[in-house]
Amino acid sequence: LGATKSDPRPLRIAFHSEPAFPAAVHPDCRAAVEDAARLCEELGHHVEEVSPGHDPPALARALVIVLGSNLAAEIKEAEKIVGRRATPNDFQLTTWISHMVGKAVSAQDFLVALKSLQAEARRLVHVYRDYDLVLTPTLGTPPIEIGALKPQGVDAVAQKLIAATGWSAPLSIPKLIDRAAETTFSFVPFTPIANITGQPAMSV
């Protein structure tokens, strides 16, 4: 509480609107972070635009594999608790498909993906070593309507078919995992970095 009563020292702030995951960042989101950066500079902080140098496709694919694998493990544990097999009717379609991705990849795939995320976290420590905080957009687009992220058209039909039949073969195809990753992270191409690195973060 005492900290709220004193002026903060000038901070070293890095800012950017370069997405960590495949996404076309909306101009409004870029403008918002630039406006916030100007405000911070006017308040006396040192503000500098920095390129984090992510590899968005590789990062997205690794995170989809890690998230799917963890989800598959959690559902398997839940089955033991409730004493029955889980079914697609127990979950939202995208959750079930993500769990199927986790079941489709190998333990080797999971560990390689996990290590790549850990390597990215270590790399970012060096990228941001001279800064107190990093300012980015929260979303890749302005807020969207409820339901807009649900699978549509051919993707929806394909996912329902895969979920209903339990046919996981397509989910092991790299291009399909990449497409799922692009769809998943196009709306939130910035915030998962906090999950990967374990750094404290907030949306303002």
Side-chain angles (χ1 to χ4, degrees):
L1 179 60
T4 66
K5 298 178 181 178
S6 61
D7 290 333
R9 63 177 172 79
L11 298 173
R12 300 164 299 174
I13 301 174
F15 82 94
H16 69 84
S17 56
E18 183 180 319
F21 299 92
V25 180
H26 194 280
D28 287 354
C29 299
R30 293 185 185 276
V33 78
E34 290 168 2
D35 182 61
R38 282 192 297 271
L39 175 60
C40 289
E41 192 168 39
E42 291 170 2
L43 291 172
H45 302 293
H46 173 75
V47 182
E48 186 175 349
E49 186 168 11
V50 175
S51 173
H54 298 295
D55 182 348
L59 200 56
R61 187 165 197 274
L63 189 54
V64 164
I65 290 173
V66 169
L67 291 176
S69 298
N70 276 280
L71 184 55
E74 289 177 0
I75 289 177
K76 189 171 184 178
E77 291 175 347
E79 288 176 334
K80 293 179 181 178
I81 294 172
V82 300
R84 67 171 178 84
R85 295 289 297 275
T87 73
N89 293 330
D90 295 320
F91 301 91
Q92 290 183 334
L93 179 60
T94 50
T95 301
W96 187 254
I97 293 294
S98 181
H99 133 272
M100 290 184 69
V101 169
K103 290 179 66 175
V105 299
S106 67
Q108 175 180 303
D109 292 332
F110 168 75
L111 288 174
V112 168
L114 181 61
K115 287 183 177 182
S116 70
L117 296 182
Q118 293 169 341
E120 178 69 356
R122 290 192 294 271
R123 188 187 69 82
L124 289 174
V125 167
H126 295 286
V127 171
Y128 297 128
R129 65 183 179 275
D130 296 326
Y131 303 98
D132 297 307
L133 61 89
V134 182
L135 184 65
T136 74
T138 299
L139 303 176
T141 70
I144 57 178
E145 293 184 359
I146 293 173
L149 293 179
K150 288 183 178 180
Q152 304 291 332
V154 175
D155 285 342
V157 173
Q159 288 190 19
K160 288 178 181 177
L161 179 62
I162 291 170
T165 62
W167 185 40
S168 61
L171 299 176
S172 63
I173 300 173
K175 285 187 177 180
L176 291 181
I177 293 180
D178 290 342
R179 184 171 177 179
E182 185 174 347
T183 300
T184 301
F185 298 117
S186 61
F187 183 55
V188 283
F190 298 99
T191 54
I193 285 297
N195 300 94
I196 292 170
T197 63
Q199 294 296 305
M202 64 179 180
S203 297
V204 181

